[in-house]
Amino acid sequence: KKPVIAIDGYSSTGKSSISKVIAEKLDLIHLDTGALYRGVTWFALQNCTDGTDTINLQELFSSLDQIELEFRNHDGELILYLNHIDISKQIRTPEVSDNVSLVAKQKEVRDFLLHSQRSLAEKGGIIMDGRDIGTVVLPNADYKFFLTASIDERTNRRYFELAGLGIQTDREQVKQNLIDRDKIDSEREIAPLKQAEDAIVIDNTELTKEETIDLILSHINK
Ligand code: C5P
């Protein structure tokens, strides 16, 4: 039977891009759960504000049943659709990054997204990355990894990732967003960002993406 793998960790430690490569190598499905929280946040910014960038949470909670999230396979890459619109690029904007942790700490939102994450893993053969996969979503995963790296290295990675998407930002703003999100994600009451007791911790500050992938694969192939 193909494995179920949980990858958690701090923002911009490479969780998603690393998980994507491992999924290709081991022929697994890859689910980037952060994209789901970003999708709900994008929806809220479109539909649940009074024209400012302040989300009305009560309005969001009562609108959750209007959200249909779906990943479609485009040549092996899963693209996120919200109510049949491709939002894979919109969810990376700084506006979404600045609001996502507030949205993600709400019980209503986490409950809304939990079921679909779990049901995707029922058949095995999946690698899921996020903040609470090894602790809450898939506590019985076959393998659990927890990624961490220094804040400056993570800032660099996110900065270049955004530049690659054509999104111009400044480095200090990127850094502050990572610090703020990690703080809210770690301190929230429900499903906080923390390593599962049985997770293998990898600090990849000094590792390339390929070295991190090889290290993870060496644990799986043991
Ligand atoms: O992984 P990414 O950085 O795109 O995640 C965006 C945000 O979504 C995180 O900062 C966190 O607030 C939230 N998230 C979460 N639980 C997950 C994945 C992401 O709360 N499993």
Side-chain angles (χ1 to χ4, degrees):
K1 190 171 170 266
K2 286 191 199 164
V4 170
I5 304 172
I7 310 253
D8 291 302
Y10 291 98
S11 302
S12 280
T13 46
K15 296 184 298 295
S16 286
S17 62
I18 286 165
S19 299
K20 187 172 168 232
V21 175
I22 292 175
E24 282 161 13
K25 288 192 191 259
L26 301 181
D27 192 25
L28 309 173
I29 294 171
H30 167 222
L31 182 69
D32 164 9
T33 64
L36 300 173
Y37 292 93
R38 287 173 178 273
V40 171
T41 305
W42 181 78
F43 175 91
L45 288 167
Q46 301 296 307
N47 299 290
C48 311
T49 70
D50 53 8
T52 64
D53 57 4
T54 306
I55 294 169
N56 180 328
L57 289 169
Q58 294 308 322
E59 203 179 328
L60 172 61
F61 300 158
S62 58
S63 311
L64 285 172
D65 60 358
Q66 294 166 31
I67 301 181
E68 193 196 328
L69 289 163
E70 177 200 358
F71 283 97
R72 289 192 205 162
N73 195 327
H74 288 222
D75 302 325
E77 196 175 344
L78 292 181
I79 306 288
L80 183 61
Y81 281 72
L82 188 142
N83 296 342
H84 314 291
I85 301 168
D86 173 354
I87 55 160
S88 50
K89 191 157 182 215
Q90 289 89 319
I91 60 172
R92 302 294 156 196
T93 55
E95 202 189 12
V96 169
S97 295
D98 285 343
N99 287 281
V100 64
S101 289
L102 169 72
V103 169
K105 72 184 260 200
Q106 309 302 324
K107 183 176 189 323
E108 288 81 351
V109 172
R110 303 203 75 81
D111 287 348
F112 171 69
L113 294 174
L114 184 60
H115 176 73
S116 48
Q117 294 174 74
R118 279 198 182 138
S119 58
L120 273 168
E122 270 163 16
K123 291 196 196 112
I126 192 164
I127 181 164
M128 218 180 268
D129 76 272
R131 304 292 186 292
D132 62 337
I133 309 305
T135 50
V136 173
V137 179
L138 306 174
N140 298 319
D142 299 305
Y143 300 96
K144 298 180 186 178
F145 297 93
F146 189 90
L147 302 187
T148 167
S150 75
I151 181 65
D152 287 327
E153 181 58 30
R154 294 189 286 122
T155 302
N156 266 337
R157 291 177 193 169
R158 180 55 57 106
Y159 181 79
F160 286 115
E161 183 195 348
L162 289 172
L165 290 169
I167 298 172
Q168 292 289 337
T169 43
D170 90 42
R171 222 174 262 265
E172 270 316 300
Q173 195 184 332
V174 171
K175 182 173 179 173
Q176 197 55 50
N177 174 258
L178 295 179
I179 293 171
D180 293 344
R181 275 200 291 141
D182 286 343
K183 183 168 161 54
I184 302 173
D185 293 346
S186 310
E187 292 178 355
R188 72 181 172 220
E189 253 168 69
I190 314 157
L193 162 63
K194 68 164 189 237
Q195 65 197 61
E197 274 171 24
D198 50 351
I200 295 164
V201 180
I202 297 176
D203 181 332
N204 67 17
T205 307
E206 306 281 338
L207 301 180
T208 62
K209 179 176 156 186
E210 288 67 30
E211 287 168 333
T212 309
I213 292 166
D214 287 346
L215 187 54
I216 291 175
L217 288 172
S218 74
H219 285 283
I220 294 171
N221 295 327
K222 231 192 280 189

